[in-house]
């Protein structure tokens, strides 16, 4: 069984998701051709997104390393990037069985009406496996009994909380983004920041004038013209980082072609990501429409089910692109100035886009509010990565010793870190409860999670009449 799931994961999202979508499409009544094309578009979308983010990573690597060297920014927690975190997650006993265990939990919650999200984003199950793996290694190092049980406990708690947040955010998510009816985002890295987005947005609205300050991406284009375009902002930020990577004006003048080239590449990333994410929407729409139609026709009492999918669907939103690109230099400055931080994000910067998919529905796409939320998130994330670094390192060393995977090879005299998923408040809180408070922490997590599921169930029951009306409208539209 372990080998079977290891093989499935080794296929990668680009291969795994088309297969899942084909099977799912056939099960809900789509014809073979439509189900296959739906899955292939999602797979091609993952490949396209990987190419574009690789362009960002390879383009930024050299200049950012030069900036680190010129300004002496070396910190002792090395940025391994999300691939190292995923490798740690899936190359452990927790990761080997995370898919069947979490799917079982999902089915149980659906039967109990504790959730309405069907989480088919199997690739991102590595997030749940990661927190489970880190808790497992930390508890084993402390000599606890049954460390594997502690690992699965942490993973399952994370999974359940994420499903609840996906349910709560689904109406706002579907209302804010276009063409995502019936979709929710049960990815814990994104879900972790929802409470902060809600609270900070509420606080900002109490500042006189702030609630009337509407600076969305379209408004920026109208007000600032070309200067408000994500493409142009990407070029400007790329050129600025390119200039900072040289130590004198003479070097800048000598390397103008390289600097301009970096600017164009950054602009290309900003322009290409929205075009790639269109493929995800095109692939998902037939599946989403067929699922909701099937539920409306045959499963009264299970109204409002959402398909849980990757946040890659919506990272092409202009507000996400603008906020992400502006936060890259801000993040480097914060990393150096914040007391107690030892983590300098470099490889993780390519994942900056994933901070905001569930933030934008609460800030309503307001770029200024989104950037403010992003700064708070980054400050927290840097400190949490620093806190978890010794335990991430412990897990990385063990996985490297067993697999020789270069993704988890931590440089000598450094500890391992990654913004995703070690910079997540959810991961940090679950880890602290399990590692520092042990049985008391486990009790807090258990009682809190059960209460959260119960509250979610009662909340969804109140929404049933509204959702029934929505489903009736879908049926009437189909008949017409």
């Amino acid at each position: 069984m372990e080998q079977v799931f290891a093989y499935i994961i080794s296929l990668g999202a680009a291969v795994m998701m088309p297969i899942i979508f084909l099977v799912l499409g056939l099960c809900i009544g789509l014809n073979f051709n439509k189900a296959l094309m739906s899955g292939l578009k999602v797979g091609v979308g993952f490949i396209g997104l990987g190419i574009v983010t690789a362009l960002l990573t390879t383009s930024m690597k050299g200049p950012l390393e030069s900036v680190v060297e010129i300004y002496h920014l070396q910190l002792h927690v090395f940025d391994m990037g999300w691939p190292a975190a995923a490798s740690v997650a899936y190359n452990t006993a927790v990761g080997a069985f995370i898919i069947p265990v979490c799917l079982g939990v999902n089915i149980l919650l659906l039967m109990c009406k504790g959730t309405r999200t069907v989480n088919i984003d199997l690739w991102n199950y590595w997030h749940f496996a990661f927190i489970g793996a880190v808790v497992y290694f930390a508890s084993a190092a402390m000599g606890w009994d049954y460390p594997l049980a502690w690992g699965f406990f942490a993973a399952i708690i994370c999974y359940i909380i994420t499903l609840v947040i996906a349910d709560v955010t689904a109406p706002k998510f579907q209302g804010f983004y276009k063409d995502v009816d019936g979709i929710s985002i049960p990815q814990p890295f994104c879900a972790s920041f929802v409470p902060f987005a809600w609270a900070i947005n509420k606080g900002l609205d109490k500042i006189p004038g702030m609630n009337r300050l509407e600076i969305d991406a379209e408004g920026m284009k109208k007000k600032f013209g070309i200067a408000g375009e994500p493409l142009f902002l990407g070029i400007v930020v790329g050129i600025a980082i390119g200039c900072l990577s040289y130590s004198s004006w003479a070097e800048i003048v000598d390397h103008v072609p390289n600097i301009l080239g970096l600017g164009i590449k950054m602009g290309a990333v900003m322009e290409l990501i929205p075009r790639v994410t269109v493929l995800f929407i095109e692939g998902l729409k037939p599946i989403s429409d067929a699922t909701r139609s099937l539920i409306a026709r045959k499963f009264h009492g299970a109204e409002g089910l959402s398909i849980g999918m990757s946040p890659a669907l919506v990272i092409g939103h202009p507000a996400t692109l603008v906020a992400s690109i502006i936060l890259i230099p801000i993040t480097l400055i914060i990393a150096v100035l914040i007391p107690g931080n030892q983590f300098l994000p470099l490889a993780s910067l390519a994942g900056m886009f994933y901070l905001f998919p569930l933030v934008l529905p609460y800030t309503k796409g307001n770029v200024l509010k989104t950037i403010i939320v992003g700064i708070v998130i980054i400050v927290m994330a840097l400190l949490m990565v620093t806190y978890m670094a010794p335990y991430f390192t412990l897990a990385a060393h063990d996985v490297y010793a067993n697999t020789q995977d270069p993704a988890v090879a931590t440089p000598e005299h450094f500890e391992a870190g990654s913004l995703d998923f070690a910079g997540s408040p959810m991961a940090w809180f679950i880890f602290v409860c399990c590692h520092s408070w042990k049985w008391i922490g486990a009790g807090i997590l258990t009682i809190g999670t059960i209460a959260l599921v119960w509250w979610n169930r009662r909340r969804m029951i109140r929404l049933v009449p509204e959702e029934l009306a929505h489903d009736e409208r879908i049926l009437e539209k189909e008949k017409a």
Side-chain angles (χ1 to χ4, degrees), residues 11-19 39-40 42-48 123:
L11 295 175
V15 176
M16 187 167 62
M17 296 311 293
I19 296 171
L40 290 176
V42 173
V44 171
F46 272 108
I47 290 173
W123 171 248

Side-chain angles (χ1 to χ4, degrees), residues 18 31 34 40 64 97 119 123 161 173 182 187 275 280-282 309 357 359 374 430 478:
N31 64 53
K34 202 167 186 179
L40 290 176
L64 287 176
F97 293 98
N119 186 5
W123 171 248
I161 294 172
F173 175 81
Q187 199 246 39
R275 297 177 186 268
F280 287 106
I281 299 297
E282 290 179 358
M309 273 302 302
V359 169
I430 291 172
E478 285 187 349

Side-chain angles (χ1 to χ4, degrees), residues 122-268:
L122 300 187
W123 171 248
N124 278 316
Y125 275 41
W126 74 260
H127 288 89
F128 312 113
F130 173 81
I131 186 58
V134 174
V135 169
Y136 163 68
F137 282 110
S139 57
M142 295 181 70
W144 292 2
D145 294 331
Y146 312 112
L148 188 58
W150 280 99
F152 274 112
F153 171 76
I156 291 169
I157 290 291
C158 185
Y159 189 77
I160 295 172
I161 294 172
T162 301
L163 287 177
V164 173
I165 294 175
D167 289 331
V168 172
T169 57
K172 275 187 173 291
F173 175 81
Q174 295 167 15
F176 179 77
Y177 295 103
K178 294 179 181 178
D179 301 319
V180 292
D181 285 346
I183 304 296
S184 63
I185 303 295
Q187 199 246 39
F189 186 60
C190 296
S192 293
F193 307 120
V194 168
F196 301 97
W198 175 83
I200 294 168
N201 187 65
K202 287 285 186 184
L204 291 174
D205 281 344
K206 295 186 182 298
I207 299 174
M210 179 64 79
N211 58 347
R212 295 191 300 273
L213 193 60
E214 307 222 352
I215 314 178
D216 61 7
E218 290 302 316
M220 286 181 64
K221 292 178 186 178
K222 291 176 183 176
K223 188 168 184 177
F224 300 108
I226 190 173
E229 291 278 355
L231 168 60
F232 183 80
L233 285 171
I235 292 172
V236 170
V237 172
I239 290 173
I241 292 174
C243 290
L244 289 172
S245 66
Y246 297 103
S247 57
S248 67
W249 282 107
E251 285 190 0
I252 291 173
V253 172
D254 289 341
H255 293 88
V256 165
N258 293 342
I259 293 169
L260 294 178
L262 179 61
I264 293 295
K265 288 175 183 175
M266 290 284 282

Side-chain angles (χ1 to χ4, degrees), residues 314-336:
V314 293
I315 64 168
H317 191 281
T320 290
L321 297 174
V322 171
S324 299
I325 207 73
I326 290 174
L327 276 174
I328 286 177
I330 292 175
T331 297
L332 295 174
I333 295 169
I334 291 173
V336 176

Side-chain angles (χ1 to χ4, degrees), residues 109 113-115 160 164 448-458 460:
L109 287 174
K113 297 183 180 179
T115 186
I160 295 172
V164 173
T449 302
I450 292 171
L452 198 61
V453 171
W454 180 253
W455 168 82
N456 190 44
R457 185 179 187 276
R458 291 178 61 84
M460 291 187 296

Side-chain angles (χ1 to χ4, degrees), residues 14 28 111 208 230 241 332 389 395 421:
I28 60 177
M111 292 171 62
I241 292 174
L332 295 174
F421 178 54

